[in-house]
Amino acid sequence: MQPNPVNWFEIYVQDIPRAKAFYEKVLEVELQPLDSPSPEIEMFTFPMEMGAPGAAGAIAKVEGVPSGGNSVMVYFSCEDCAVEASRVEAAGGKICKEKFSIGQYGFIAIASDTEGNVFGLHSRPAE
């Protein structure tokens, strides 16, 4: 197995423009279109550097695949997860759990996006 077992993630959505606007506003990044291998798949990637550590990923609209209610949790790295969490509701999402400590591993906040997907925001502990 590779050092980091996750190398890609997809967040399934039903409304690409709405989901794209949500993640761009909350994370203050610009998502880029990804060439699709099929006309039934539309994807926009989060900023990424191929070959660098960490997982890259995208929001994806796949014909016949529902969004929301999945059992995969994606955590986005943040300097202070409370900052990104403070932008969730204004972008159309909901806060499930405000920033809280996870001990030696830092802090997390849990939110849901405009498509009903739950995701996490993680900040490392101060050193």
Side-chain angles (χ1 to χ4, degrees):
M1 180 158 50
Q2 298 176 352
N4 293 310
V6 176
N7 64 5
W8 182 258
F9 67 87
E10 291 175 358
I11 300 172
Y12 294 114
V13 304
Q14 299 305 307
D15 185 324
I16 282 277
R18 179 177 66 195
K20 181 177 179 288
F22 173 82
Y23 283 104
E24 287 179 337
K25 186 171 184 177
V26 170
L27 299 174
E28 291 187 336
V29 297
E30 185 176 340
L31 278 65
Q32 299 295 319
L34 185 66
D35 290 336
S36 175
S38 164
E40 290 127 16
I41 301 172
E42 184 179 5
M43 300 173 81
F44 280 80
T45 64
F46 291 89
M48 63 181 176
E49 184 178 329
M50 297 306 289
I59 58 171
K61 181 176 181 183
V62 181
E63 193 172 304
V65 177
S67 61
N70 58 5
S71 61
V72 175
M73 179 72 96
V74 173
Y75 284 88
F76 293 98
S77 295
C78 310
E79 286 291 317
D80 178 357
C81 62
V83 173
E84 285 78 3
S86 73
R87 296 192 288 256
V88 167
E89 291 180 349
K94 296 178 185 169
I95 292 294
C96 302
K97 188 155 176 70
E98 295 285 346
K99 177 183 175 180
F100 65 98
S101 174
I102 52 172
Q104 66 183 355
Y105 303 108
F107 298 88
I108 61 174
I110 308 294
S112 64
D113 69 10
T114 55
E115 308 303 299
N117 296 302
V118 177
F119 66 96
L121 300 164
H122 174 257
S123 46
R124 296 191 183 278
E127 293 183 27

